[in-house]
Amino acid sequence: MSGISSLVRTSSKLIRCGQTSARRSVYTTAVRLGEDKKQKDLDMASMAKKIDPKEAAARKAAEEATKRALAAKAAREAAEKKALEEKAAAEKAAKLAAQQEQAKKAAEKAAADKKAADAAAAKAAKEAAEKAAAKAAEKKAADAAEKAKKAAGKAREPVQQKSAEQDAKTSASGRVQTADSLGSRSEGAAKKAAAEATAAAAARKAQEDAAAEKASKEAAAKKAATEAAAKKAALEAAAKKAAQEASVKRAAEEAAAKKAAAEAAAKKAAEEAAAKKAAEEAAAKKAAEEAAAKKAAEEAAARKAAEDAAAKKAVEEAAAKKAAEEVAAKKAAEEAAAQKAAEEEAIRNMQDPIQSLFLSSIRSASSAGGLENASPEIKAELESELERLAKQYGGQAGANMTDFPTFQFTDPDVDPINVSE
């Protein structure tokens, strides 16, 4: 009885396994159908969102053209800026060179004027030295003449004395008178000569003083004239330098004004070109935006049409799926009703309830796919149940409990009974 009970329990489990597998198969099929539908919807949406290769190429070409235009604009602006900088540098260098040349000429002229003034001063000094030397020579000559005159006076005194002595020897009275007269005459001549010499010396001194004063006045006048000439030359050089600086400043101002006018004209031309370019870019941008808006409208219309088509298709697929599910449900209900009717018929017709249940279980298991098509969980559960039965009823490890057991009966060795003994 225990083997029959275990067999009934196993059959019940097999029946449940088959029903579970059938339900699982139906659910898996429904899930797969839903996933297939979702994947189709995603594919349709991605296809609707895809961009036309021609449109992508046109967009890429427009972007590249815009980049090239921007690069050309930047290069042109850099070239214009570099040209303006080079022009400004050249003008600055030319202005600096002109200023240096003018400064060099002014320095050369000042040096020449200074050299001329130094030469005039040296010449005046030389003339003054020559006049002083001439004056010294005249004074020396005058001193020599005075010394000669004094020597002549000294020479005349012994002669006069000798003459007086001789006259004194000739006659006493006459010599005394002669000596007196000669003495008086000699004294008068000496006094006269001394007066003349004093007058001549005074005249020479006055002449020398007048000549020295005249030379001093001439030297002072010459020095004043040299200083006035140097001052005049310095004033003329300063005036010329100021005139040159004013001319350089005026030329610089004219060049700056000319440069400012040229820069203003260049700036105006650049602004006009920039305005023209901005207008062209704005027009191009507007055209691109209009084209993009038109394209976006077309893409939106195409997307809407694709979405409508996808929605329509989804509705049709949902309707088809619903119809298929209804057909499948109807079929499953019919099969369940048929199975139930068959089971009831079998129950009514069976004579052995256990045998009929066993056969029904086998049929259900066969219709469900059998143990070969069962899931790993069901197989694991079956193995666990078989192991439990084997342990419970003394089966060996690895023994198949679904097989009918084999029995071996051996007769025990019995000692013979000797009745006679």
Side-chain angles (χ1 to χ4, degrees):
M1 289 296 293
S2 60
I4 294 172
S5 299
S6 62
L7 184 60
V8 170
R9 285 195 300 271
T10 304
S11 300
S12 300
K13 289 182 180 181
L14 290 174
I15 291 169
R16 287 195 303 272
C17 178
Q19 292 175 355
T20 304
S21 299
R23 287 195 301 270
R24 193 172 295 169
S25 300
V26 174
Y27 177 74
T28 306
T29 305
V31 171
R32 286 180 180 176
L33 288 173
E35 290 178 354
D36 293 339
K37 180 181 177 301
K38 289 181 181 178
Q39 187 65 33
K40 287 180 181 179
D41 293 339
L42 292 174
D43 293 339
M44 289 297 294
S46 62
M47 288 177 68
K49 291 181 181 178
K50 283 184 178 177
I51 300 173
D52 189 5
K54 292 182 180 179
E55 293 178 357
R59 185 178 297 173
K60 187 176 181 181
E63 291 176 357
E64 290 178 355
T66 304
K67 288 180 181 179
R68 285 196 297 270
L70 291 174
K73 180 182 178 182
R76 186 167 59 253
E77 290 177 353
E80 291 176 357
K81 186 177 180 182
K82 187 177 180 181
L84 290 174
E85 290 177 355
E86 290 178 353
K87 185 179 178 182
E91 290 177 354
K92 188 176 180 181
K95 185 178 178 181
L96 184 63
Q99 291 178 355
Q100 289 177 355
E101 185 66 22
Q102 289 177 357
K104 186 178 179 181
K105 287 182 179 179
E108 290 176 354
K109 187 173 181 182
D113 294 339
K114 185 177 180 182
K115 188 176 181 181
D118 292 340
K123 187 177 179 181
K126 186 177 180 182
E127 290 176 355
E130 288 177 354
K131 286 184 179 180
K135 187 177 179 181
E138 289 178 358
K139 187 176 181 182
K140 190 175 180 181
D143 293 338
E146 181 69 22
K147 287 180 180 180
K149 189 176 180 180
K150 287 180 179 181
K154 288 180 180 182
R156 279 198 304 270
E157 287 178 357
V159 172
Q160 290 176 358
Q161 188 177 2
K162 188 176 180 180
S163 175
E165 288 177 356
Q166 288 177 358
D167 290 338
K169 287 179 180 180
T170 54
S171 65
S173 58
R175 286 194 298 270
V176 171
Q177 295 175 355
T178 304
D180 293 334
S181 60
L182 286 172
S184 61
R185 288 195 297 269
S186 297
E187 288 176 0
K191 289 180 179 179
K192 186 179 181 181
E196 291 177 354
T198 303
R204 281 196 304 273
K205 187 176 181 182
Q207 187 178 3
E208 289 174 357
D209 293 339
E213 186 177 358
K214 185 179 179 182
S216 176
K217 289 181 179 179
E218 289 178 354
K222 194 169 185 180
K223 185 177 180 182
T226 304
E227 291 177 352
K231 187 176 181 181
K232 184 179 180 181
L235 292 173
E236 290 177 354
K240 192 171 182 181
K241 185 177 180 182
Q244 290 177 353
E245 290 178 352
S247 177
V248 170
K249 187 176 180 181
R250 187 169 57 255
E253 290 176 353
E254 291 176 355
K258 189 176 180 181
K259 183 180 178 182
E263 289 178 352
K267 186 177 180 181
K268 185 178 179 181
E271 289 176 352
E272 290 176 354
K276 186 178 179 181
K277 188 174 182 182
E280 293 176 354
E281 290 178 353
K285 187 177 181 180
K286 185 177 179 182
E289 289 176 353
E290 290 176 355
K294 186 177 178 182
K295 185 178 179 182
E298 292 176 355
E299 290 178 352
R303 191 180 298 113
K304 186 177 180 182
E307 290 175 355
D308 293 340
K312 186 177 178 181
K313 186 177 180 182
V315 170
E316 292 175 354
E317 290 178 352
K321 183 181 178 183
K322 186 176 180 181
E325 289 176 353
E326 290 177 353
V327 171
K330 186 178 180 181
K331 186 178 179 181
E334 292 175 353
E335 290 178 354
Q339 185 177 1
K340 186 177 180 181
E343 289 178 355
E344 291 176 354
E345 184 67 23
I347 290 171
R348 284 195 301 269
N349 295 329
M350 70 179 178
Q351 295 178 356
D352 189 355
I354 296 173
Q355 184 179 2
S356 298
L357 183 60
F358 180 71
L359 293 176
S360 298
S361 300
I362 291 173
R363 291 191 189 98
S364 298
S366 299
S367 62
L371 290 175
E372 291 80 6
N373 297 325
S375 63
E377 290 81 3
I378 300 300
K379 291 181 178 180
E381 186 179 357
L382 177 61
E383 292 293 332
S384 176
E385 188 67 23
L386 293 174
E387 289 180 0
R388 187 184 66 79
L389 291 173
K391 291 179 180 180
Q392 184 177 358
Y393 295 101
Q396 296 179 358
N400 188 2
M401 298 300 293
T402 59
D403 293 337
F404 191 80
T406 57
F407 300 99
Q408 292 182 359
F409 298 100
T410 58
D411 295 330
D413 295 334
V414 179
D415 293 334
I417 297 173
N418 193 356
V419 179
S420 61
E421 291 180 0

